[in-house]
């Protein structure tokens, strides 16, 4: 009987899954080779990595609209890694479970896109795809059958489930306005509505991590990508030593950006920031050390894991007893500062998930919430269980060199369960390690472990013992000398 009531509540909406940056497989049209989403990544040489990075560079012709050289063929179905932004993880499980939860699998459309290009460009493509999908679903036999049984439901509308940059594409659809009344609800997961400092550091020089290619390659490639500019901080993230401010066009150029692209992204973001999203459910990642501000030092962007504390009345920066700025670590998901993942207006209190940015779309919490929205449920407590895995947070470095210890740290553990750690190589070498987590004397709730990966590869670190596994990717590769 319970199952029957749930079925009667099932919505018949058209569902569109929009991945984040790096979340779509990219293919060279002429050669047919995958440029992004390459399976068994580390079976390729460093030279092959350099070749594909250079192939991902956006040409002047592509920026002018001639975009046929590279195509997006599907959502990411294997792990991959972009120096500067880090790892990307597949969307297979999210799409599969949404199709199982929908009236019919045909109701669910994955929307891959060329994430190198601007949000404005890809948002227009998403609007066209959404319009076609809604019409096709309304004409679908399963939709007509549902309406015959439930005539009060009326024609299907659209439910967007968007991760990271995907939420900016959905906002672009709403800004355009022509589909506004056909959208029932929007779920955004780790979307950088106000940008990410990580994008600024990557645009600056590609420093700060191991490179399977010389840093000069990223300095050549990153500034050509309009999509990267659209992820730059749009909040007071630039620290001048006294206060913080929103980066301007000149500041973006100082990072190494192209003025024309900097002007375009600043104009774009100022006109979109107040666009409301209907039925908006916001998922924000927490529990990760996250860059929240940056300062320029001798031409280099230095990321900082803190923001100044401000007076809530007059917004001035507060000082301590020694007349130094007071700062606080607001944390985030490792890529997006938690307050940058909240839109300027229109959203309810966010759902927080203790998970890495790249793993959010794989999170049990997020998948359950997305499927729950197909039953008209918009909050975790409506699903009949407490979602989330806020019992502990996992912190590991983004990269390590071969034969060097990878430090694994768990914090916030309440001791109510045994935690188990597994380290798996996921890019083709199939190595598995089982490091022991041990409590740190004198530091309540903190456990640490270390493991040594002897071979280069992309490793997934998973800690089990909370409500759901907590996952993070670590790249093991030798660092190149700066070029």
């Amino acid at each position: 009987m319970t199952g029957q009531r749930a079925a009667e509540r099932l919505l018949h909406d058209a569902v569109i899954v929009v991945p984040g940056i790096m979340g779509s497989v990219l293919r060279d049209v002429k050669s047919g080779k995958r440029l992004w989403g390459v399976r068994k990544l580390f079976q390729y040489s460093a030279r092959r990595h350099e070749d594909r990075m250079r192939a991902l560079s956006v040409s002047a012709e592509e920026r002018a609209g001639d975009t046929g050289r590279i195509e997006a063929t599907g959502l990411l179905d294997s792990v991959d890694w972009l120096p500067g932004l880090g790892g990307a993880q597949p969307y297979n499980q999210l799409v599969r479970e949404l199709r199982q939860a929908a009236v019919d699998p045909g109701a669910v459309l994955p929307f891959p896109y060329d994430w190198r290009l601007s949000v404005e460009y890809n948002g227009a493509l998403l609007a066209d795809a959404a319009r076609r999908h809604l019409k096709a679903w309304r004409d679908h036999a399963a939709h007509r059958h549902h309406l015959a049984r439930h005539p009060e439901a009326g024609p299907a509308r659209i439910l967007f489930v968007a991760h990271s940059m995907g939420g900016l594409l959905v906002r672009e659809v709403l800004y355009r306005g022509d589909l506004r009344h056909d959208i029932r609800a929007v779920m955004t997961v780790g979307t950088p509505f106000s940008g990410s400092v990580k994008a600024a550091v990557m645009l600056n020089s590609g420093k700060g991590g191991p490179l399977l290619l010389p840093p000069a390659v990223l300095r050549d490639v990153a500034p050509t990508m309009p999509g990267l500019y659209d992820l730059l901080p749009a909040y007071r993230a630039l620290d001048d030593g006294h206060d913080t401010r929103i980066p301007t066009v000149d500041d973006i150029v100082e990072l190494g950006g192209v003025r024309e692209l900097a002007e375009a992204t600043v104009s774009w973001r100022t006109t979109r920031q107040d666009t409301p999203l209907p039925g908006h459910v916001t998922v924000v990642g927490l529990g990760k050390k996250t860059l929240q501000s940056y300062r320029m030092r001798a031409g280099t962007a230095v990321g900082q894991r803190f923001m100044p504390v401000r007076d809530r009345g007059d917004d001035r920066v507060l000082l301590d007893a020694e007349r130094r700025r007071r700062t606080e670590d607001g944390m985030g998901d490792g890529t997006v500062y938690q307050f940058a993942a909240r839109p300027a207006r229109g959203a309810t209190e966010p759902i927080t998930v203790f998970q890495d940015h790249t793993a959010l779309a794989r999170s049990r919490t997020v998948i359950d919430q997305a499927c729950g929205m197909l039953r008209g449920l918009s909050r975790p407590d409506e699903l009949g269980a407490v979602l989330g895995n806020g019992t502990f947070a996992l912190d590991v470095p983004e990269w390590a060199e071969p034969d060097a210890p990878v430090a694994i740290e768990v914090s916030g553990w309440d001791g109510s369960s045994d935690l188990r750690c597994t380290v798996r190589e996921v890019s083709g070498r199939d190595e598995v390690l089982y490091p022991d987590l041990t409590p740190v004397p004198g530091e309540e709730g903190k456990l640490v472990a270390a493991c040594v990966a002897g071979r280069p590869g992309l490793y997934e670190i998973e800690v089990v013992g909370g409500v759901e596994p907590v996952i993070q990717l670590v790249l093991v590769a030798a660092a190149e000398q700066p070029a």
Side-chain angles (χ1 to χ4, degrees):
M1 193 69 180
T2 301
Q4 182 179 358
R5 286 198 300 272
E8 289 174 353
R9 294 187 64 191
L10 186 66
L11 298 182
H12 59 302
D13 289 328
V15 183
I16 303 176
V17 180
V18 191
I21 189 170
M22 308 186 296
S24 303
V25 175
L26 301 183
R27 183 179 75 94
D28 183 283
V29 173
K30 185 176 181 180
S31 69
K33 293 180 180 179
R34 278 193 179 198
L35 300 176
W36 185 256
V38 180
R39 298 184 181 93
K40 297 187 177 180
L41 181 64
F42 283 85
Q43 292 184 5
Y44 293 92
S45 66
R47 181 65 192 178
R48 291 287 298 277
H49 285 292
E50 179 175 346
D51 290 343
R52 77 176 185 133
M53 284 297 109
R54 291 199 180 280
L56 290 173
S57 179
V58 180
S59 67
E61 291 77 16
E62 287 176 302
R63 292 198 297 271
D66 184 7
T67 57
R69 181 177 67 89
I70 291 176
E71 66 176 355
T73 60
L75 269 56
L76 194 69
D77 56 2
S78 59
V79 295
D80 210 329
W81 182 276
L82 184 65
L85 288 182
Q89 301 194 39
Y91 293 83
N92 310 32
Q93 187 174 356
L94 173 63
V95 173
R96 180 170 61 250
E97 295 200 28
L98 280 169
R99 282 174 169 162
Q100 292 170 351
V103 168
D104 183 90
V108 180
L109 173 72
F111 177 75
Y113 59 94
D114 186 348
W115 40 266
R116 305 171 308 135
L117 305 178
S118 72
V119 170
E120 184 174 11
Y121 172 84
N122 285 314
L125 296 181
L126 175 58
D128 291 341
R131 191 177 300 105
R132 292 193 302 270
H133 179 55
L134 180 60
K135 182 181 185 305
W137 173 238
R138 285 175 173 174
D139 292 338
H140 196 285
H143 176 260
R144 295 199 304 270
H145 179 67
H146 184 88
L147 282 187
R149 295 177 59 203
H150 304 282
E152 74 285 354
R157 297 168 73 189
I158 297 171
L159 166 64
F160 281 111
V161 178
H163 175 229
S164 190
M165 178 190 270
L168 302 182
L169 268 67
V170 174
R171 186 180 66 179
E172 184 69 22
V173 172
L174 269 297
Y175 175 81
R176 294 169 62 88
D178 49 350
L179 275 173
R180 186 172 300 151
H181 300 295
D182 287 319
I183 299 172
R184 185 187 302 277
V186 175
M187 178 180 175
T188 59
V189 181
T191 291
F193 287 104
S194 296
S196 169
V197 169
K198 208 170 186 180
V201 174
M202 180 181 176
L203 178 64
N204 179 237
S205 64
K207 296 178 181 178
L211 303 176
L212 301 175
L213 60 160
V217 175
L218 277 186
R219 289 198 293 269
D220 291 343
V221 174
T224 72
M225 296 182 173
L228 182 63
Y229 289 73
D230 291 344
L231 298 181
L232 292 172
Y235 64 97
R236 290 186 290 196
L238 178 53
D239 188 346
D240 64 8
H242 301 285
D243 203 347
T244 54
R245 58 182 173 81
I246 299 173
T248 65
V249 169
D250 287 340
D251 295 322
I252 296 172
V253 172
E254 185 182 7
L255 284 170
V258 177
R259 181 169 294 275
E260 176 188 358
L261 296 179
E263 291 173 344
T265 201
V266 169
S267 173
W268 166 80
R269 73 191 187 192
T270 55
T271 55
R272 270 65 168 177
Q273 61 186 3
D274 291 329
T275 304
L277 305 178
H280 190 191
V281 173
T282 313
V283 177
V284 173
L286 281 179
K288 308 296 299 180
K289 294 178 181 178
T290 305
L291 298 181
Q292 299 151 49
S293 58
Y294 74 95
R295 58 190 172 90
M296 297 300 296
R297 184 174 63 191
T300 298
V302 180
Q304 303 175 148
R305 293 173 177 162
F306 60 81
M307 288 289 289
V309 178
R310 297 182 179 276
D311 185 282
R312 294 187 178 181
D314 59 14
D315 203 40
R316 60 188 171 87
V317 174
L318 298 179
L319 306 178
D320 62 18
E322 298 180 2
R323 306 298 296 172
R324 295 177 302 189
R325 290 185 306 169
R326 289 172 53 189
T327 61
E328 62 182 357
D329 183 355
M331 305 291 281
D333 62 18
T335 296
V336 183
Y337 173 41
Q338 65 157 313
F339 295 107
R342 306 181 187 194
R345 54 175 290 193
T348 58
E349 186 65 21
I351 299 167
T352 56
V353 178
F354 280 63
Q355 196 69 264
D356 182 72
H357 181 79
T358 63
L360 282 170
R362 292 178 56 187
S363 162
R364 184 74 260 159
T365 301
V366 168
I367 293 173
D368 286 348
Q369 179 65 47
C371 293
M373 291 181 72
L374 281 170
R375 301 198 304 275
L377 310 179
S378 61
R379 299 296 305 167
D381 52 5
E382 294 175 333
L383 296 177
V386 177
L387 297 179
N389 60 327
T391 54
F392 63 88
L394 171 66
D395 185 69
V396 298
E398 288 192 354
W399 68 278
E401 296 201 34
D403 299 318
V406 177
I408 302 168
E409 179 182 306
V410 170
S411 59
W413 177 60
D414 62 7
S416 62
S417 61
D418 292 330
L419 301 185
R420 302 180 305 281
C421 182
T422 304
V423 180
R424 301 182 186 89
E425 206 290 321
V426 292
S427 60
R429 298 194 185 279
D430 300 323
E431 182 178 358
V432 182
L433 305 169
Y434 301 95
D436 292 326
L437 288 165
T438 59
V440 178
E443 297 191 45
E444 185 177 355
K446 184 174 180 180
L447 299 90
V448 295
C451 67
V452 176
R455 296 181 296 178
L458 195 52
Y459 291 78
E460 180 181 271
I461 297 182
E462 177 185 66
V463 177
V464 177
V467 176
E468 66 172 308
V470 182
I471 299 170
Q472 187 169 340
L473 291 174
V474 175
L475 177 68
V476 175
E480 294 282 346
Q481 295 298 315

